[in-house]
Amino acid sequence: MDRVSSFDEPLKKLLGGATAKVMAEHLDLHTVGDLLHHYPRRYEERGKLTALADLPLDEHVTVVAQVADARILMFNNGRGKRLEVTLTDGSGRLQLVFFGHGVHKPHKELLPGRQAMFAGKVSVFNRKMQLAHPTYQLLDASDADEATEAVDAFAGRLLPIYPACKQLDSWRIAKAVDAVLPSAQDAVDPLPASLREGRGFTPLPEALLKVHRPQTKADVEDAKARLKWDEAFVLQVALARRRYADTQLPAVARRPVADGLLDAFDAKLPFTLTEGQEKVSKEIFDDLATEHPMHRLLQGEVGSGKTMVALRAMLTVVDAGGQAAMLAPTEVLAQQHHRSITEMMGELAEGGMLGGSDRGTKVVLLTGSMGMAARRQALLDLVTGEAGIVIGTHALIEDKVQFHDLGLVVVDEQHRFGVEQRDALRSKGKQPPHLLVMTATPIPRTVAMTVFGDLETSVLDQLPAGRSPIASHVVPAKDKPHFLARAWERVREEVENGHQAYVVCPRIGDDAEEADGKKGKAKKRAADEDPEKRPPLAVLEIADELRKGALAGLTVEVLHGRMHPDEKDDVMRRFAAGDVDVLVATTVIEVGVNVPNATAMVIMDADRFGVSQLHQLRGRVGRGSAPGLCLLVSEAHEASPARARLSAVAATLDGFELSRIDLEQRREGDVLGQAQSGVRSSLRMLTVIDDEEVIAAAREEAVAIVAADPELEHLPELRTVLAALLDKDREEYLDKG
């Protein structure tokens, strides 16, 4: 068997169909290589007990603990049986519960003093942590069954605890790993020998053996150091090659023109640009002036003036004879951008029209819900070059859309777009257009280096003059209902002072969500028994309650994703014009909505949103000269992680600080976002938040290697590993630029 193929061997050949099927469906493990890269989450020492005190709620866990007591209880007039087992470990206690016919075996085996591994989902019952019907494996059984094997297998060693699932416990995964471990010898080593020796790394086969079956803690550290480096390095080589390939592409240089649109626009600006905007604009103009495509990520706090910087770049391209397209993730946002850009440009946005400037250009909007006549005119303006700037949703990507000379693509809120969409738009240029990607979700440096590693990065971190501070407070609705009443009073006060407010809910709440009444009743019953289980608060219900109750007499309107686009636009226009006092909405207002007169925001069930999302939402207020107020309403328990998250949001307005907290609390998954799932699937050991030094060092080495040998001709092993990483379904994570 050659060196690559044993890693490519399907698991069903070695483990049998049933186990392989569960691994494929629930853990995304298909080959021997996948399983060897499924590393233990942590290690237990035999005889040392796990901390039960800090088990995460609602997660599938594996614990090693000792039985303190076990007792059978009868219920339902003696017709039902329940076995309750208490585990202890010195840090805390945990209840296990078994019902019905499932009580006999554990009742015989889980005797006080016995030690075992238990796996199950942590829930709360009667205010106590519990595992219902956990699977378990005894670690100190004396009879000659499977459990004894477990003791022998792990005697005197560290016990690996694997990321598991309901259908497959950690110890069963450990047995499967034993079956494939001999193949670790065939691992293809991606690190060039000079780099491996220079940094004193353990050889790869040895690192795989040490990570799965360590004899000592030093083995674990050794293996981790090596495996983290591999992941960071292979990823950075892939990104460096992509950057190199981009520098080889031709593009039309778009240089600023004196006395053109840009100068006319700058002359009519009622304010001066911030130092940050000047600096970032210069970086962009320098990129646009070169003959290979710009690939730049523009990160900026909510309201830092990214749109202004992007617009000036678009005007430069129009001055140089090209066209610029701005891609927005939603119709609400595309319409908002179109409105604010045409307002900022004034007569400069009316090129060729009566009353328009002779230096102006046409700015057109293109969305899926436009009427046929308007759409036909927009398409015509694009193909003739009459329109220098187009703002649209993914409708811009359709085959019918053709440009006269596309020179710049601006992508707003990149994390909402898939690769194919971005590339489809780029392919509409005669030569690759320049690309500017904007995000208002602050990205920690390590994530930027990993996910957006093929882009140069610019950061806008100053807020423009005239922006007001936003005060944020947590409103504990359950513990202190009078706080919620006071929140609605504050909204009323803001409106009486001539301002407006947003109320944000996690759910729409129309019939489509409650498909049948039975489900609704069951949910209500569950909610009565356990408030954690109630469905999130809904826009339609809250709006109704507010109209009848706390905000009676005010104009309360709703906005959500299922409304007809014309209806949405109408509500937004009336809100922007000041005809609506309170807008009750879903997160459709999260990005780009700009109403300077809105000063207050109440976020219901705030604990159901992520940190970055709350920060984005909050950025919708305080956009004018009056101070902003953001109230985070939550029923979460004071000591819960959810409340800690809300307190963190209330404590700082620094998005970069919050994105770091977000990453620490939620780990990579959510922060890297769904679109970057490839990065997640290829990062098993590396944690983007903790391994900044590894990533930075790996990037440096990768850049040097690619500069010296872009095709990696002298590094066949590295080429092999890259090819495996970049197979079709994982390739897209590199395309996030």
Side-chain angles (χ1 to χ4, degrees):
M1 197 180 290
D2 70 37
R3 299 169 67 202
V4 188
S5 64
S6 71
F7 258 49
D8 292 338
E9 191 82 36
L11 285 171
K12 62 171 172 274
K13 274 195 178 176
L14 286 148
L15 305 178
T19 305
K21 188 169 185 244
V22 171
M23 285 193 167
E25 285 175 8
H26 297 280
L27 298 169
D28 196 22
L29 306 175
H30 306 273
T31 63
V32 167
D34 289 343
L35 183 52
L36 285 173
H37 288 302
H38 186 70
Y39 306 128
R41 178 174 282 162
R42 57 190 170 81
Y43 302 85
E44 291 296 350
E45 290 175 72
R46 295 233 30 247
K48 175 179 171 247
L49 300 176
T50 330
L52 295 179
D54 36 61
L55 286 179
L57 250 185
D58 278 340
E59 274 193 32
H60 200 85
V61 297
T62 302
V63 296
V64 177
Q66 197 161 15
V67 177
D69 68 64
R71 59 187 185 281
I72 286 202
L73 304 169
M74 298 298 200
F75 61 92
N76 225 351
N77 291 331
R79 287 199 298 276
K81 243 186 220 180
R82 180 168 83 237
L83 170 65
E84 285 186 1
V85 179
T86 307
L87 303 182
T88 178
D89 71 346
S91 78
R93 295 170 92 78
L94 176 68
Q95 191 99 17
L96 309 180
V97 59
F98 300 88
F99 291 103
H101 299 305
V103 305
H104 305 303
K105 189 167 181 261
H107 189 223
K108 279 196 299 203
E109 294 181 337
L110 298 178
L111 305 172
R114 278 274 170 92
Q115 196 182 350
M117 283 195 281
F118 301 90
K121 195 172 183 187
V122 185
S123 57
V124 169
F125 182 72
N126 278 346
R127 304 201 157 197
K128 281 186 190 155
M129 294 276 226
Q130 72 165 27
L131 298 182
H133 278 287
T135 50
Y136 62 89
Q137 183 173 14
L138 300 173
L139 289 181
D140 54 354
S142 50
D143 51 335
D145 62 5
E146 224 179 47
T148 323
E149 281 175 39
V151 178
D152 296 340
F154 299 121
R157 282 196 206 172
L158 292 168
L159 194 66
I161 305 292
Y162 286 91
C165 62
K166 188 176 166 188
Q167 296 78 1
L168 204 62
D169 308 315
S170 170
W171 51 90
R172 293 204 177 95
I173 295 171
K175 288 185 82 165
V177 168
D178 282 337
V180 301
L181 212 46
S183 297
Q185 292 307 323
D186 301 326
V188 176
D189 198 324
L191 294 194
S194 56
L195 195 160
R196 190 172 64 238
E197 285 148 23
R199 290 185 176 267
F201 285 131
T202 304
L204 185 55
E206 193 184 317
L208 288 169
L209 286 172
K210 281 181 170 177
V211 80
H212 288 292
R213 297 296 172 260
Q215 302 288 337
T216 63
K217 286 182 180 168
D219 280 354
V220 175
E221 291 316 305
D222 238 18
K224 279 186 172 177
R226 168 67 216 253
L227 296 166
K228 277 182 181 182
W229 240 91
D230 279 17
E231 286 178 8
F233 176 71
V234 172
L235 188 53
Q236 292 302 335
V237 167
L239 292 164
R241 287 188 73 193
R242 184 169 173 93
R243 282 196 303 276
Y244 178 83
D246 284 340
T247 63
Q248 305 306 300
L249 291 172
V252 179
R254 312 280 179 175
R255 296 185 180 89
V257 172
D259 292 330
L261 252 177
L262 179 64
D263 286 352
F265 175 75
D266 283 351
K268 66 194 279 300
L269 276 183
F271 51 81
T272 53
L273 297 174
T274 65
E275 224 176 286
Q277 285 174 318
E278 292 278 14
K279 178 175 139 291
V280 170
S281 287
K282 184 182 182 318
E283 291 170 351
I284 291 171
F285 292 157
D286 289 350
D287 281 359
L288 289 173
T290 61
E291 290 182 352
H292 59 79
M294 163 171 84
H295 285 101
R296 190 166 282 280
L297 171 67
L298 173 56
Q299 289 193 62
E301 273 292 4
V302 174
S304 58
K306 291 185 302 300
T307 311
M308 172 62 70
V309 168
L311 177 55
R312 294 181 76 242
M314 294 198 283
L315 295 175
T316 302
V317 169
V318 175
D319 275 342
Q323 290 168 294
M326 184 185 241
L327 188 59
T330 63
E331 295 214 349
V332 168
L333 188 51
Q335 286 159 341
Q336 177 84 36
H337 276 320
H338 183 253
R339 241 192 328 268
S340 62
I341 283 174
T342 47
E343 277 165 17
M344 280 195 274
M345 287 175 66
E347 77 280 3
L348 295 172
E350 296 164 1
M353 292 152 78
L354 212 58
S357 160
D358 53 353
R359 278 187 291 189
T361 187
K362 235 185 192 187
V363 178
V364 299
L365 176 69
L366 190 67
T367 64
S369 65
M370 281 167 73
M372 274 311 292
R375 187 181 171 77
R376 203 172 292 128
Q377 185 58 53
L379 291 173
L380 189 65
D381 289 340
L382 286 179
V383 79
T384 58
E386 186 84 7
I389 294 176
V390 59
I391 293 139
T393 54
H394 54 269
L396 276 178
I397 295 163
E398 291 171 12
D399 293 344
K400 291 191 196 84
V401 182
Q402 290 181 352
F403 290 85
H404 178 64
D405 180 13
L406 182 59
L408 170 67
V409 173
V410 178
V411 179
D412 192 22
E413 289 307 319
Q414 161 66 23
H415 61 284
R416 305 213 172 177
F417 285 102
V419 189
E420 301 80 11
Q421 293 171 307
R422 193 204 60 195
D423 282 350
L425 188 51
R426 276 175 61 186
S427 68
K428 290 181 180 290
K430 293 183 177 118
Q431 284 191 328
H434 297 281
L435 176 71
L436 179 65
V437 169
M438 302 199 294
T439 176
T441 307
I443 303 167
R445 177 171 169 254
T446 43
V447 179
M449 280 195 302
T450 310
V451 179
F452 296 102
D454 58 337
L455 297 172
E456 300 301 323
T457 305
S458 297
V459 178
L460 276 176
D461 46 14
Q462 297 167 281
L463 286 187
R467 271 311 176 91
S468 306
I470 305 170
S472 305
H473 304 284
V474 178
V475 177
K478 200 170 175 191
D479 314 341
K480 300 181 177 166
H482 59 287
F483 276 38
L484 182 58
R486 175 71 188 122
W488 299 128
E489 279 172 28
R490 282 292 289 111
V491 169
R492 208 174 254 288
E493 286 162 16
E494 289 297 312
V495 173
E496 280 161 7
N497 289 332
H499 296 299
Q500 292 157 279
Y502 297 100
V503 176
V504 180
C505 304
R507 204 166 59 94
I508 299 171
D510 56 10
D511 296 340
E513 291 176 328
E514 295 298 343
D516 64 340
K518 277 185 200 159
K519 260 193 208 160
K521 281 178 193 148
K523 274 187 185 166
K524 186 173 183 336
R525 258 202 320 278
D528 292 341
E529 288 161 29
D530 180 359
E532 290 290 306
K533 297 255 169 55
R534 72 163 172 76
L537 294 170
V539 167
L540 302 178
E541 290 153 23
I542 293 290
D544 211 35
E545 280 173 32
L546 292 175
R547 285 186 191 114
K548 290 173 185 163
L551 302 181
L554 302 186
T555 319
V556 177
E557 292 278 6
V558 301
L559 182 72
H560 58 75
R562 289 217 193 99
M563 288 162 64
H564 186 278
D566 292 350
E567 215 183 333
K568 276 193 273 197
D569 202 37
D570 177 55
V571 171
M572 269 319 299
R573 271 179 201 284
R574 287 189 295 120
F575 188 62
D579 300 337
V580 173
D581 298 324
V582 179
L583 187 64
V584 184
T586 55
T587 54
V588 291
I589 60 150
E590 176 188 352
V591 177
V593 172
N594 184 19
V595 180
N597 191 45
T599 52
M601 176 176 284
V602 180
I603 303 179
M604 307 303 290
D605 275 343
D607 47 281
R608 313 253 181 157
F609 298 100
V611 170
S612 297
Q613 201 171 27
L614 290 169
H615 182 57
Q616 284 278 339
L617 286 165
R618 171 171 63 184
R620 302 298 115 216
V621 296
R623 297 175 80 87
S625 51
L629 171 70
C630 179
L631 301 173
L632 306 166
V633 179
S634 168
E635 289 190 6
H637 192 273
E638 199 169 350
S640 67
R643 273 287 284 281
R645 226 173 41 229
L646 296 182
S647 303
V649 174
T652 178
L653 291 171
D654 179 343
F656 284 93
E657 174 58 23
L658 285 175
S659 70
R660 198 169 176 87
I661 291 168
D662 199 13
L663 202 44
E664 277 166 0
Q665 287 189 341
R666 289 156 57 147
R667 306 317 297 171
E668 277 71 37
D670 298 315
V671 183
L672 296 184
Q674 288 312 304
Q676 277 80 292
S677 59
V679 166
R680 268 181 14 242
S681 62
S682 67
L683 299 190
R684 295 169 193 272
M685 184 63 79
L686 196 72
T687 54
V688 172
I689 192 73
D690 302 324
D691 297 319
E692 186 163 339
E693 284 165 30
V694 175
I695 293 169
R699 183 180 173 113
E700 228 168 275
E701 294 276 11
V703 168
I705 279 168
V706 172
D709 181 3
E711 295 305 313
L712 308 178
E713 283 168 17
H714 306 295
L715 299 167
E717 291 84 3
L718 179 53
R719 262 211 326 273
T720 302
V721 172
L722 262 182
L725 177 72
L726 297 185
D727 60 17
K728 266 297 162 236
D729 52 53
R730 288 188 186 165
E731 191 168 11
E732 58 182 66
Y733 80 90
L734 285 179
D735 263 318
K736 285 296 146 297

